[in-house]
Amino acid sequence: MISLKEIATGNKPTWCPGCGDYGILNAVKIAIAKAGLNLEKTVLVSGIGCSSKLPQYVNTYAFEGIHGRVLPVATGIKLANNSLTVIGIAGDGDAYGIGTCHFIHGMRRNLDLTNIVHDNQIYGLTTGQTSPTSEKGFATKSTPGGVIEWPVNPIALALASGATFIARGFVLELEHLTNLIVKGIRHKGFALIDIFQPCVTFNYLNTYQYYKQRCYKLEDAPGYNPQDKTAAHHKSQEWGERIPIGVFYQEQKGTYEDELPEIKEKPLAEQSITDVNIDRLLDECY
Amino acid sequence: MISLKEIATGNKPTWCPGCGDYGILNAVKIAIAKAGLNLEKTVLVSGIGCSSKLPQYVNTYAFEGIHGRVLPVATGIKLANNSLTVIGIAGDGDAYGIGTCHFIHGMRRNLDLTNIVHDNQIYGLTTGQTSPTSEKGFATKSTPGGVIEWPVNPIALALASGATFIARGFVLELEHLTNLIVKGIRHKGFALIDIFQPCVTFNYLNTYQYYKQRCYKLEDAPGYNPQDKTAAHHKSQEWGERIPIGVFYQEQKGTYEDELPEIKEKPLAEQSITDVNIDRLLDECY
Amino acid sequence: MAILNQINILMGGEAGQGIIISSLTLAKTFSRGGLYTFVLNEYPKTIRGLHNWCSIRVNANPLTSHTHQIDLVIALNKDTVSLHQEELKTARGLIYDPKDLNPAELLKGYDQLKTYAVPLNRMIKSLKAESQMRNSITIGAALSLVKYDFGILADLLREMFQRKGDAIVQSNIDLAHTGYQHIQEHYPEDFGITIEKQTNAPPLMLLSGNEAAAMGAIRAGVKLLAAYPMTPTSSIIHYLAARQEKYNLVVKHTEDEIAAVNMAIGGNFAGVRSFACTSGGGFALMTEALGLAAQSETPLVLFVGQRPGPSTGQPTHTSQGDLRCLIHASQGEFPRIVIVPGDHADCFYETWQAFNLAERFQVPVLVLSDKYLGESYCCSPRFDTAKMKIDRGKLLPEAETEKLQDYRRYQITADGISPRTIPGQKGGRHIATSYEHDEKGFYADSFCGVTKMADKRAKKLAAIEASLPQPKEFGAKQADITIIAWGSTKGVILEALDLLAAEGIKVNYHQIVYIWPFPAKYVQAVLRSAPQIVTVENNQTAQLAGLIREHTGFEVKHRCLKYDGQPFYPREIHSFIKGITGHD
Amino acid sequence: MAILNQINILMGGEAGQGIIISSLTLAKTFSRGGLYTFVLNEYPKTIRGLHNWCSIRVNANPLTSHTHQIDLVIALNKDTVSLHQEELKTARGLIYDPKDLNPAELLKGYDQLKTYAVPLNRMIKSLKAESQMRNSITIGAALSLVKYDFGILADLLREMFQRKGDAIVQSNIDLAHTGYQHIQEHYPEDFGITIEKQTNAPPLMLLSGNEAAAMGAIRAGVKLLAAYPMTPTSSIIHYLAARQEKYNLVVKHTEDEIAAVNMAIGGNFAGVRSFACTSGGGFALMTEALGLAAQSETPLVLFVGQRPGPSTGQPTHTSQGDLRCLIHASQGEFPRIVIVPGDHADCFYETWQAFNLAERFQVPVLVLSDKYLGESYCCSPRFDTAKMKIDRGKLLPEAETEKLQDYRRYQITADGISPRTIPGQKGGRHIATSYEHDEKGFYADSFCGVTKMADKRAKKLAAIEASLPQPKEFGAKQADITIIAWGSTKGVILEALDLLAAEGIKVNYHQIVYIWPFPAKYVQAVLRSAPQIVTVENNQTAQLAGLIREHTGFEVKHRCLKYDGQPFYPREIHSFIKGITGHD
Ligand SMILES: Cc1ncc(C[n+]2csc(CCOP(=O)(O)OP(=O)(O)O)c2C)c(N)n1
Ligand SMILES: Cc1ncc(C[n+]2csc(CCOP(=O)(O)OP(=O)(O)O)c2C)c(N)n1
Ligand code: SF4
Ligand code: SF4
Ligand SMILES: [Mg+2]
Ligand SMILES: [Mg+2]
């Protein structure tokens, strides 16, 4: 197995001390090692947010784009070279807020991508505003009277949109989380991994303690079968005293790239473009 | 009841002969009359698409915006003046494609808006490309090899996003459709009405015949209860030989505007701004 | 006065009646006979019902534009007569169905006009054909009037419909022939215009600007088009989509334009030539990512077709109103290239070139066309692909990346361009980022580093300026008046030049193709030597004139502007110029 | 050399340590004593951990900017010493905790510097306070050094913490007092700078540009802010959000910037003054809707704070790189107004004014600020609201709409502005649209109608130009050098003017506030009378210089530019000017 040191760029993370993002960084690195990825054939794609800084610390190829656009960039990369492992890294605001359109359509598209979302239920980098997953009533700088909307439910949305691997992790459950990421990477198709990541600076509600008290593993739920969509749907609604983590749902379905005849033989990136013959196109004009 | 003639602007619709949009226009006008709306207190908001031309033919206040942004404009209008009846008019591309982000967040916001979506499973105005609701394998100018993605399921997405009134109509079932729209308008909260609207020019698959053969009314489904979310979820998955129309789900829940103390007494638009006293703000600076 | 080998036909009908297809069929029938054709179509923003028309201009000599003077009108609806009374005033003939309209009623005092009644609807019924096939009858009738070889049309129809089976082929040919015969039988007198097949002429391609651009992209090795449909560039999507399998390229109809541009950036980052096409509204949604491409130094090509704004404006008409918008879109300051093709050949060669430039300079390249250029059809000599060499700039081959030590993606170099690697390559790992960064792509650590990195990017400008081709010059070397213009006005201006030359007025014309970075030195030299300067633009605020003043200080007094959604007619430029010279 | 009533203090520490709050507390302690203060904060794009500093400048005379010369450094971490060695070279004093750093080790040969060791960490422990409250001790220590009235600080702390209970209040005061006493006891010798409470001075407000802008919006009757957070304008969201209930206004944190701008348009359409605030990246996403506001003639105000681009760039630093981008954003051509406030008072008055202009002219109004102006704090005399009259332009009252017959929303009028109605009003029903349209808002039916409607909108320009205030002039009437500048450089330039005047160099300065439509005539007149022109801009490409050339033909030779993310220091402009005059 490749060493964690090789996987690190050596840049010192600039997150707040105690931030849940450190744990996710750790999990991602271990998962890369466990999944046996080739660092030169792996691309991390992120947006903007505290969470999106993660690729700066992982020694793969990486693209740190703009806020909310992780999936389109990742899609472009995967379409261009489907031999690469492409992993999206986003915050809850990035993925479920400004990026919602790409999130929904990315899932029904079912490209072979892994989408890791740091769900701290807050906007960290912009110093603590409400996020789409912030709980109803939660007061922040942008909603000092408390959020009025009901939060988005990423698991339920993923189910409704046809995602083929849907999981939730918690950063303190490092090994469990690492395994989820490995499974997500190995899954052929779109994998969503929503991760509870306490923001120790701005989220006074959803703390380590909060999640620790509530999270339980779906593996431990008697008879839970992640192939059962109805059960998954049911579990997706559970929130409050007990919150499930683990694989909610997994299904094998053809991927988008499977249906592209153009890349059956080799990825687009490997096809020569030095002298494309367009005679036939010119002939059509007569 | 107000006459349909009064509700018409007199502009001649520019849709193709036989287009399903004529039927929706009819249904909207009848519904406005039936619901007893005051035309001067009603605003239709549309985007861009064949469907979005509808407000040009209805003699209320209207705002014809840009592609995909029906709900934000409608939200702004409703927040500004919650005494108005605000009805969104969009196409499937507008609402479920480019407008997805607003669609999801609009539903969890639960403002008292009615959102009418002309679902012809195609991009009409741009001359026939794939829409998010186009069926898998359906070939269009933009996907001549057939759509690879699975279609979005607006009903399932609405359920997953917390919409409080979710219905589907078919344009040939005029009375049924009209009633759905009336119910949607009367519903306090966000009402989605997805309408099958054959595009006779570009959609060779989802024709009048196609829907006529398949559609059945949920009212006719023995024991169907639109308060039952699980049943609704189940019905949302039904597609193929038989396709349900009618009210999938309805729930009474507080609306967004209910929780705004600022408009408890009167709408923002009716509050005087001639001489806002900011002494207290200036005092804070010392 | 008998005329040989030139005619301008207007075919009008309802949207959805296949007017465009029929006009192209007619045009191709001539271009296969070695005649130059130019087809302009004007259609409303509705799919069916409203009035829709094409002009099909034919000439034995090369044509570069449409023109106002119509010789023959083919009316497939009443509107074609009632809305085109102006054109009918000077036309020679009108083909119509007496069931649709009565010319005697609609047109009083049009004595020059010969009317040709063809019972289209009756013929369709008797041949049990679909009503849309009425157009074919009129094509036959038109060919008959100008005594053109019917066999060319028959061959063309055969090819067009062969996939649909012999019966369909035959019925189309029969219909056209019915029209042809009807004229011969009922109107034996000479129409006065004859079009002859040019036996020694080279074969002529007939294609639209968008088709030419799409071909240029394919020739450039594009493998990914990520786009969301928008008039007037949707046809680029359709063109490439139809050829995906043949050319192993992927066309992704995305969820929106934001996705489109970001996918194209992802594709380019991964080493595949990728682009997006759109119009102003979609481009607005792409502007944020434009800066991302610039900051991350990812090559990017965007193809934008203009239509009149602001906002939705007039979706199906033409404009040159977006130049400044493209030059300055996106926050911050960075080098970009804006190319404005002027004709159909430019669309091909310059779109192709855009991909080389994007990779050579690792900057965004914007190709700005418009509805007139993109959707009009024009004859061109066959494009010459022999000399088109792919240049991927400093993209390192794997043989070199393997040897890299401590690779710095944003290395500061003399020309500001850094060697590039792509995912999958050994030794080339790096992070590309939207943040200001150091040479390795890590967050910028000092204010001084920031200035250096901004200067590095800005340095590319010099390299770009040195390598871009200069504007093209047309017309007399020594002239009384010099036109400077950009984009799709080219063909119209060239024809206006001919008209003026024929009257002894000496005008020349400089066509700016690479408009940004602005070719200030070239323009400065032109200004120095020209006695009178005129700019011609399809916009309201004379954007080119503004650029000229910004970059040379010179204020253009004579600005020929049109912004009603229609392209110029050659005569409009002709009379504007004459107005200046006092000849008018 | 004893100095009276002027000091510049640098307080540095880790991000998250409350450096900004403490600096503002210190500044307010002085401004309550009638002294002018200016607080600049510089912070990294991280939330905690990295280095973060503020300068707190104090003077008995009005201050308009920060400056480079630091007198006293308060180090809450080691970086404050190691990263600010330059400033420490000329500083008089350093307050630090020997546990954090050893000045003797870090600073060799800084003989002028007196070091004041304060055992912050130990004091915190002994008083059982939180480590973040170390700052309070240093505030006390600083006040002690300059012999300032401790009672003002005690009162301020009391007010600040009263909501948290007496215990917290007392513990803060105690901490500060510990610092105060520590200096008195251990360093009795005179520091050399004394700050005295100004007994006859008027009370001074201390506020940031963003706060001023937010107040201006509230005063303008804004009832809806729809926005998505983005540095450096998030504080406008926070400011208004905290005051929603008091002022009956709704702040909507939207799903993205596209939603924000469209909601603001919806709100304005419905008759409520609504706006959105953002920065470049968010503005890019708003550009499509900008054209919608223009075409539908819906009033719209957008407030944009600049930071260095392209793309994410340097989110927490400052820039003036987005001017051209705002002027030309969105496809097509339409009138808009761009206002660039220069100081904190401008932020208030001009943001307020923006709402009047948007409604009077029914056009988009863009207010362009930046991080430096928006997030720096400056003392102002109390804003005068007495003369601020709300002007809603041609918005018809219901009494008039009731009488309307055949109302035409887009009626062509002499000034291009049409009477407006809002939903709910009797007789005013209409459709507002993004399409080109006729007077009723229906689809434009003719090319000639299109030109008329475009001309109608363009006509507003004349009305706008005639009504906008002219640039402001500062400094000597007759000068050797004339500065023309825009935006946040104002305060720095004013101070540079003083520096130059003191040296007998005559410079004056024209501040452009209403930069678009460009005040060409005014600038032309300035150019004619000024012997030397200098532009000063926080950007790389001299955008104002470009505008000047575009609109007057004049090429500005001397362009004072800085684009590393930091604002100018007065001395930089001072030496640039001296460089020109040859005095240097
Ligand atoms: C278009 C755009 N809008 C706004 C921003 C400002 N911004 C940066 S990060 C962020 C949200 C951060 O929240 P989240 O995505 O949850 O990430 P976190 O910091 O919590 O990890 C925002 C609004 C931006 N960079 N770009
Ligand atoms: C930003 C933007 N992108 C693209 C377009 C072009 N466009 C106009 S309507 C439309 C889609 C129409 O499909 P739909 O929303 O389903 O409406 P329909 O015409 O089928 O009723 C598109 C892509 C546009 N107007 N604006
Ligand atoms: S602000 Fe929150 S999410 Fe961001 S680094 Fe700090 S603790 Fe982590
Ligand atoms: S294109 Fe389709 S949706 Fe549009 S008007 Fe015609 S039939 Fe209706
Ligand atoms: Mg977050
Ligand atoms: Mg549709």
Side-chain angles (χ1 to χ4, degrees), chain D residues 3 10 73 111 114 226-227 229 249 277 292 304 355 386 388 403 415 422 426 471 522 569 573:
Chain D
I3 294 177
L10 186 151
V73 173
D111 303 328
K114 287 181 230 163
L249 53 88
C277 59
L292 167 60
V304 182
F355 291 90
M388 299 176 102
K403 288 177 266 164
D415 58 3
I422 55 174
K426 292 215 179 72
Y522 179 95
Y569 285 116
I573 296 169

Side-chain angles (χ1 to χ4, degrees), chain A residues 78-129:
Chain A
K78 187 75 185 180
L79 290 176
N81 190 344
N82 55 312
S83 75
L84 301 171
T85 300
V86 183
I87 303 174
I89 304 283
D92 45 350
D94 200 289
Y96 310 140
I98 192 170
T100 310
C101 186
H102 317 303
F103 178 59
I104 302 293
H105 294 281
M107 292 189 289
R108 73 187 185 89
R109 191 166 296 145
N110 200 33
L111 246 107
D112 185 15
L113 296 175
T114 307
N115 189 28
I116 293 179
V117 183
H118 301 219
D119 191 353
N120 54 9
Q121 304 187 250
I122 194 110
Y123 281 20
L125 191 60
T126 43
T127 74
Q129 298 85 5

Side-chain angles (χ1 to χ4, degrees), chain C residues 7 29 40 180 201 216 277 287 290 294 313 338 344 405 467 507:
Chain C
I7 191 168
T29 305
L40 170 71
Y180 199 88
C277 59
T287 51
L290 192 69
V338 182
H344 296 64
Q405 296 287 342
S467 83
V507 181

Side-chain angles (χ1 to χ4, degrees), chain B residues 142-209:
Chain B
S142 63
T143 56
V147 191
I148 303 179
E149 284 106 331
W150 295 88
V152 298
N153 182 332
I155 308 294
L157 277 180
L159 284 164
S161 307
T164 52
F165 181 95
I166 305 169
R168 186 194 277 145
F170 171 35
V171 77
L172 279 195
E173 295 283 355
L174 184 66
E175 200 183 325
H176 179 254
L177 174 59
T178 308
N179 286 335
L180 289 181
I181 299 176
V182 171
K183 277 186 202 157
I185 290 172
R186 292 206 173 127
H187 173 75
K188 283 284 291 172
F190 190 98
L192 167 68
I193 304 162
D194 180 83
I195 306 172
F196 290 144
Q197 167 252 319
C199 167
V200 296
T201 301
F202 296 112
N203 194 322
Y204 55 87
L205 175 65
N206 309 105
T207 58
Y208 284 104
Q209 203 49 33

Side-chain angles (χ1 to χ4, degrees), chain B residues 14-16 19-21 50 120 124-125 197-202, chain C residues 47:
Chain B
T14 58
W15 294 308
C16 306
C19 174
D21 285 339
C50 294
N120 54 9
L125 191 60
Q197 167 252 319
C199 167
V200 296
T201 301
F202 296 112
Chain C
I47 302 303

Side-chain angles (χ1 to χ4, degrees), chain C residues 42 45 53 230 258 280-285 287-289 291-295 307-315 317 319-322 324-326 328-334 434-436 443-444 446-448 450-451 454-458 524 538-543 546-547 549-554 563-566, chain D residues 42 45 53 230 258 280-285 287-289 291-295 307-315 317 319-322 324-326 328-334 434-436 443-444 446-448 450-451 454-458 524 538-543 546-547 549-554 563-566:
Chain C
E42 289 285 357
K45 65 195 157 303
W53 58 271
M230 189 158 192
I258 299 175
F283 177 74
L285 293 172
T287 51
E288 193 196 359
L292 166 60
Q295 178 72 274
R307 58 194 227 187
S311 201
T312 312
Q314 299 183 79
H317 296 297
S319 163
Q320 294 186 303
D322 302 352
R324 274 284 189 184
C325 163
L326 262 75
H328 300 289
S330 208
Q331 75 272 20
E333 300 166 292
F334 53 87
S434 70
Y435 279 99
E436 192 53 273
Y443 303 131
S446 71
F447 289 117
C448 150
V450 164
T451 306
D455 287 342
K456 161 194 151 41
R457 288 190 298 267
Q524 192 89 60
N538 254 145
N539 62 39
Q540 191 182 21
T541 60
Q543 301 187 26
L547 283 170
R549 193 156 198 215
E550 181 184 351
H551 294 275
T552 70
F554 180 84
Y563 48 95
D564 63 357
Q566 288 183 110
Chain D
E42 289 286 356
K45 66 195 156 301
W53 59 270
M230 188 158 193
I258 300 176
F283 177 74
L285 293 171
T287 52
E288 192 195 0
L292 167 60
Q295 178 72 274
R307 57 192 226 188
S311 201
T312 311
Q314 299 183 79
H317 295 296
S319 164
Q320 295 186 302
D322 301 352
R324 273 285 189 184
C325 162
L326 262 76
H328 300 290
S330 209
Q331 74 271 21
E333 300 166 293
F334 53 87
S434 70
Y435 280 100
E436 193 54 271
Y443 303 130
S446 71
F447 290 115
C448 149
V450 164
T451 306
D455 287 341
K456 162 196 148 45
R457 287 190 298 267
Q524 191 87 60
N538 254 144
N539 62 39
Q540 191 181 21
T541 59
Q543 301 188 24
L547 283 170
R549 191 154 199 218
E550 180 183 352
H551 294 276
T552 69
F554 179 83
Y563 49 95
D564 64 357
Q566 289 182 112

Side-chain angles (χ1 to χ4, degrees), chain A:
Chain A
M1 211 170 84
I2 193 166
S3 80
L4 292 191
K5 210 174 151 226
E6 267 177 275
I7 303 177
T9 52
N11 286 328
K12 192 171 162 280
T14 58
W15 293 307
C16 305
C19 174
D21 285 341
Y22 289 97
I24 300 185
L25 172 59
N26 222 357
V28 167
K29 287 194 291 191
I30 299 172
I32 286 176
K34 271 200 191 169
L37 297 186
N38 176 344
L39 298 182
E40 323 227 78
K41 301 275 284 175
T42 303
V43 188
L44 299 198
V45 181
S46 70
I48 298 296
C50 294
S51 36
S52 284
K53 295 180 173 179
L54 189 145
Q56 287 270 357
Y57 317 124
V58 182
N59 197 10
T60 57
Y61 276 95
F63 193 94
E64 187 178 32
I66 48 180
H67 188 44
R69 317 305 170 191
V70 173
L71 289 178
V73 172
T75 301
I77 294 171
K78 187 75 185 180
L79 290 176
N81 190 344
N82 55 312
S83 75
L84 301 171
T85 300
V86 183
I87 303 174
I89 304 283
D92 45 350
D94 200 289
Y96 310 140
I98 192 170
T100 310
C101 186
H102 317 303
F103 178 59
I104 302 293
H105 294 281
M107 292 189 289
R108 73 187 185 89
R109 191 166 296 145
N110 200 33
L111 246 107
D112 185 15
L113 296 175
T114 307
N115 189 28
I116 293 179
V117 183
H118 301 219
D119 191 353
N120 54 9
Q121 304 187 250
I122 194 110
Y123 281 20
L125 191 60
T126 43
T127 74
Q129 298 85 5
T130 301
S131 105
T133 52
S134 294
E135 298 186 19
K136 191 161 163 61
F138 183 63
T140 72
K141 287 180 183 167
S142 63
T143 56
V147 190
I148 302 179
E149 285 106 333
W150 295 88
V152 298
N153 182 332
I155 309 293
L157 278 179
L159 284 164
S161 307
T164 52
F165 180 95
I166 305 170
R168 186 194 277 145
F170 170 35
V171 77
L172 278 196
E173 295 282 354
L174 183 66
E175 199 184 325
H176 179 255
L177 174 59
T178 308
N179 286 335
L180 290 180
I181 300 176
V182 171
K183 277 185 200 157
I185 290 171
R186 293 208 172 128
H187 173 76
K188 284 284 293 171
F190 189 96
L192 168 67
I193 304 163
D194 179 82
I195 305 173
F196 290 143
Q197 168 252 319
C199 166
V200 295
T201 301
F202 296 112
N203 194 324
Y204 55 86
L205 176 65
N206 309 105
T207 58
Y208 283 104
Q209 203 48 32
Y210 175 97
Y211 294 120
K212 226 155 54 182
Q213 277 168 1
R214 290 167 173 79
C215 288
Y216 74 94
K217 302 197 181 103
L218 283 170
E219 301 86 298
D220 299 340
Y224 189 75
N225 172 7
Q227 260 97 47
D228 179 348
K229 204 165 191 166
T230 309
H233 185 260
H234 196 246
K235 282 291 178 197
S236 77
Q237 301 299 316
E238 199 172 321
W239 189 273
E241 293 300 289
R242 278 164 62 79
I243 304 175
I245 59 174
V247 180
F248 281 76
Y249 184 67
Q250 180 163 19
E251 165 187 15
Q252 291 307 339
K253 224 184 192 173
T255 64
Y256 189 90
E257 56 270 41
D258 282 348
E259 296 196 38
L260 292 176
E262 299 83 4
I263 56 173
K264 274 265 138 55
E265 268 182 41
K266 53 181 170 186
L268 295 177
E270 290 169 19
Q271 300 180 20
S272 164
I273 62 166
T274 34
D275 200 7
V276 179
N277 187 323
I278 61 163
D279 281 344
R280 132 170 54 201
L281 300 178
L282 297 172
D283 291 343
E284 282 172 21
C285 301
Y286 292 89

